[in-house]
Amino acid sequence: MISANGWSRRGLLAGTAILTAGGAAAAKEDRLADGVVILIDSNEPYVMGHAISYSANLSKHFAERGARLLIEVVANGKGIDVFRADKTPLVEPLAALRQSVPNLTYSMCASSKTIAEAKEQISIPLISGANLVPFGIGRVVDLQLKGWAYIHA
């Protein structure tokens, strides 16, 4: 739902005044979402880069407020390239980010990986620290149902 001022009531932080109009929402300003899930479904370098910078910026933003926010980056479809050791242009930035943000998880859609492996006739290696989830979009929905905010990179 969009409020009169144009802000979504289901913004980045569920129930907060940060991205919602004032009024009753302002009273909930200190209630953070349990975490943020960022979906990458494109293999465009700038999209992958945005997801990484979003993760770093969110972590810094909440650390400055004394809060620890859980962040999970989920790669689905063509977006799995971000966590492919044989294709990602971001091996070093991803490794550095995982070192600096301990509450960050990288997840790759196993279904998308299987489809890509069949199409390319290879076994796809994952970057260090990346995990497989059965279905990327299913993981996103599971986290949203648990109160996580959603960002599409």
Side-chain angles (χ1 to χ4, degrees), residues 21-72:
K28 299 179 184 179
E29 185 170 347
D30 293 329
R31 184 191 170 279
L32 297 176
D34 296 324
V36 174
V37 59
I38 301 170
L39 176 66
I40 303 174
D41 60 3
S42 169
N43 60 359
E44 293 293 330
Y46 72 92
V47 173
M48 294 188 283
H50 280 140
I52 301 314
S53 66
Y54 294 163
S55 300
N57 292 342
L58 283 168
S59 180
K60 288 177 192 171
H61 175 75
F62 286 97
E64 289 173 359
R65 297 171 67 193
R68 182 176 170 266
L69 186 70
L70 298 175
I71 302 168
E72 185 163 340

Side-chain angles (χ1 to χ4, degrees), residues 109-126:
C109 174
S111 177
S112 295
K113 179 180 182 279
T114 300
I115 292 167
E117 287 175 332
K119 182 179 177 182
E120 297 174 35
Q121 296 292 301
I122 63 166
S123 179
I124 294 174
L126 276 64

Side-chain angles (χ1 to χ4, degrees), residues 52-135:
I52 301 314
S53 66
Y54 294 163
S55 300
N57 292 342
L58 283 168
S59 180
K60 288 177 192 171
H61 175 75
F62 286 97
E64 289 173 359
R65 297 171 67 193
R68 182 176 170 266
L69 186 70
L70 298 175
I71 302 168
E72 185 163 340
V73 180
V74 177
N76 192 54
K78 290 182 179 183
I80 67 170
D81 284 1
V82 73
F83 299 139
R84 285 183 63 165
D86 63 337
K87 282 200 173 184
T88 187
L90 302 170
V91 172
E92 290 178 20
L94 289 167
L97 187 60
R98 278 195 42 82
Q99 289 294 320
S100 66
V101 182
N103 53 325
L104 175 64
T105 302
Y106 297 144
S107 298
M108 179 191 283
C109 174
S111 177
S112 295
K113 179 180 182 279
T114 300
I115 292 167
E117 287 175 332
K119 182 179 177 182
E120 297 174 35
Q121 296 292 301
I122 63 166
S123 179
I124 294 174
L126 276 64
I127 62 165
S128 178
N131 306 301
L132 287 174
V133 294
F135 300 98

